[in-house]
Amino acid sequence: MGVLAALAILAGLIVVHEAGHFLAATWQGIRVSGFSIGFGPVLLQRRRRGVQFALRAIPLGGFVSFPDDDAGTAIPKDDPDLLTNRPLPQRALVIAAGVLANLLLAWLVLVAQSTFVGIPAGFSATPGVLVSGVQAGQPAALAGLQAGDRIVSLAGTPLAGGSQAVAELVQRIQASPGQSLELVAERSGAPVQLRLTPADQGGTGRVGAQLQPFGSEAYRPARGPLEPIRQANHDFTTLLGRTAGGFLTLLTHFGETAGQVSGPVKIVEMGASLAQQGGGSLFLFTALISINLAVLNALPLPLLDGGQFVLLLLEGLRGRPLPERFQMAFMQSGFVFLVGLSLVLIVKDTSQLPAVQQLLAR
């Protein structure tokens, strides 16, 4: 059920994103020929008011198509309702609407979380440190640590709870490059003994794992109708800033952070795990993935909304449309890049699933 919930959320976020483009176009009277979830061959379709609504075979996103790009369309090229014949501001709104829809959805989800789950009232820490993520090929993964493990002792000494325990463990790891550390972790209620050897990076130990306090967040009812909105504004700003900062760090320090990039398989795994923790976690998961989808699509890369916005900006600076050959080459290169990257991430994430790792170890 957790996997189905995560898949449903991802599908819903894609629908919302494409609905943003679709509604921005139809609201302005711009002709639309198709609304597709996925790419490739059509599995299911329905035609309504001249628009083909389709579910396609490759579930790696979606798109809204326009008659401008249809080779066999009977609509004259000078039709004022074609997207290419509309003023730049109207076309810019259609392009930006997908990102805006995902950001609006994330904010609404956070408002709903504050309304129905409650306002955060403090973190209730319990002993141990939670391993929230592990990078493949790094010392933590090689030692056998897995996401979801709770480290309960280091070198025979129990770890206290809260941020102090995380700081203590991180400090010991950083001070022990190349040295063997004995850990005891709890996995599915059973103790697991591990031997971890931090890698030496400039004299500092690194293990390739994300650590956080172990425990649960306490919530209280909102005090008045405006408090959920204020809390949602705070949470939204924080998540958006951290997400944008994460993408910036990836671009500026690609070699150091590329291993932390996750694809759809890892996202579904994380969502399934959160689904088992209750509805409150799913609210945050939905908002976080929606914001990530918005920021990702805003990047100035071919095929993404940001890339199309760049083409529109160049057209505005030139005062006339860019050569069709250039636009086609730009979009095709983006398609090859994004599909290739998605496949690489799917293979990488699938190979890191515990069940697959156990199978490969046989």
Side-chain angles (χ1 to χ4, degrees), residues 208-225:
Q210 289 79 50
L211 307 174
Q212 65 184 56
F214 189 84
S216 60
E217 187 77 49
Y219 295 91
R220 61 168 176 79
R223 302 189 183 105

Side-chain angles (χ1 to χ4, degrees), residues 5 9 113 117 219 271-285:
I9 289 173
Q113 180 188 32
V117 178
Y219 295 91
S273 175
L274 291 174
Q276 297 175 354
Q277 299 177 23
S281 298
L282 276 183
F283 277 108
L284 185 59
F285 172 76

Side-chain angles (χ1 to χ4, degrees), residues 115-127:
T115 301
F116 298 109
V117 178
I119 306 298
F123 185 79
S124 178
T126 53

Side-chain angles (χ1 to χ4, degrees), residues 88 307-322 326 330:
L88 289 180
Q308 296 185 51
F309 212 92
V310 169
L311 294 179
L312 200 65
L313 180 60
L314 292 175
E315 179 181 334
L317 295 175
R318 294 177 80 243
R320 63 183 187 279
L322 295 166
F326 174 81
F330 184 74

